[in-house]
Amino acid sequence: MHRVKQIISIDPLSRYNPLEKAGWSLELLKNASVLVVGAGALGNEVLKNLALLSVGKIFIADFDIVKHVNLSKSVLFRESDCDGTRHKATVAAERLQEINPAVRIQPILGDISIDVGLGLIRRMDIVIGCLDNLLARLAINRLCFKMNKPWVDGAIENLAGQLNVFSPEGECYECRLTDSEWAHLHRRIGCPDIAIQNISQGRIPTSPLSASVIGALQVIEALKLIGSPKMRKYSRAGSPIYFDGMDASTLSMEAAPRKDECESHFAYGTPIEASLSAQDTVGDVLAWISAYFGQEDASIILDHEVITAVGSEMQDRVYDGLYIPKPHLSGRLKSMFQFDSADTVRIMPGATLTVLDKRFPHPEMTLAQLGVPPLHILQVSIAGDPVFVELTGDERFWRMETL
């Protein structure tokens, strides 16, 4: 007689009773929404931990593809992922679903500085940065401060790492940038570049060991802020930590003082939720705004510059009528005009715009074509007064109604 194996269905949350006994609410974790920016070595560790802890909704923002160099540092990637087409965010989402099918996951194949709408940030409980450059960290800081959201930053190099927790009422990432960091802000220094520099200096490149340590600390800090007020009082917000793996030591650092003139401190007011989308045309959006406020003199203030003309020094000519979002400029130029790598491309004087109003010459263009991401919150000027309009029609784009 053969025994029939009984399959018992177990509530995923039941595995974490020790966590609940430590003071965290499992129900809060189950209903939490977390955005992780960066799916490299550090992001892998953070994402793996969030999935194991059954954090309800996880969004993963990363525009890069999986490469062989990532395999020795990233637990979620495999050799078969290195075919030149597989995005880190997509692969990470697939592996997390295998680890914990109960978690709902959405990859975002884009750049945090322009491809993630403020409406998405508004819906997050916390943002976790797993990045390798200053510009992206600055972008997260400004997005989170606009929406009054905390974020946890992690950085690793060699066997060392650093953890920072930023909250709108506390320390600000932009305030702590040094003059040297401001000077290098617009130079994206990726992990491969850091590895090459370290090898040339005889040092050990970034390792999965520091990623494991800092990634765990980041998730612990995120859980404190997601959890009950009892847990939030233990947050390291305003108390950065530096970890040195060579002697297994940690150093608590002082928070940087807030600067009155810091641009990150500009917070948005409560937005008007409109049934608009980034796929709507400029003309239609302006018409909706004018009708809603009963004001013809309305304009949309963009968060970035749109380039309308560039000059090629090698070809000695000007390309105009482009309307390319500045953060996407280099990629668009390569695909549109096949610029030689030795060519110097100049943005022509006066060839930028940051305001969309009834004088905009191409009202048939969509907001998305001009670099406005889905579910963004538009800063609108009505007779000189600022108001905020959310493209709530894009909730379906991020599957917010089902995720």
Side-chain angles (χ1 to χ4, degrees), residues 13 42 61 154 173 191 218 226 228 236 256 311 314 337 376 397:
L13 289 181
L42 190 55
Y173 176 77
C191 285
Q218 284 183 278
I226 292 171
S228 64
R236 297 287 308 190
M314 184 175 289
F337 302 111
H376 196 45
F397 182 89

Side-chain angles (χ1 to χ4, degrees), residues 88-167:
K88 291 179 179 178
T90 302
V91 175
E94 293 173 1
R95 299 284 146 68
L96 294 182
Q97 208 70 75
E98 294 172 3
I99 292 172
N100 189 346
V103 175
R104 290 167 287 176
I105 307 162
Q106 173 69 56
I108 301 172
L109 310 183
D111 188 328
I112 186 64
S113 66
I114 192 171
D115 297 319
V116 176
L118 278 169
L120 187 66
I121 303 294
R122 176 178 169 235
R123 287 161 173 77
M124 295 298 106
D125 291 290
I126 197 163
V127 177
I128 303 178
C130 304
L131 301 157
D132 56 19
N133 69 85
L134 301 175
L135 189 59
R137 288 188 174 94
L138 178 60
I140 291 181
N141 194 72
R142 290 182 175 179
L143 290 171
C144 288
F145 270 67
K146 283 178 180 177
M147 292 292 101
N148 197 37
K149 297 291 181 178
W151 72 284
V152 181
D153 179 44
I156 57 174
E157 185 175 357
N158 302 325
L159 295 179
Q162 187 169 322
L163 170 81
N164 292 274
V165 182
F166 300 103
S167 60

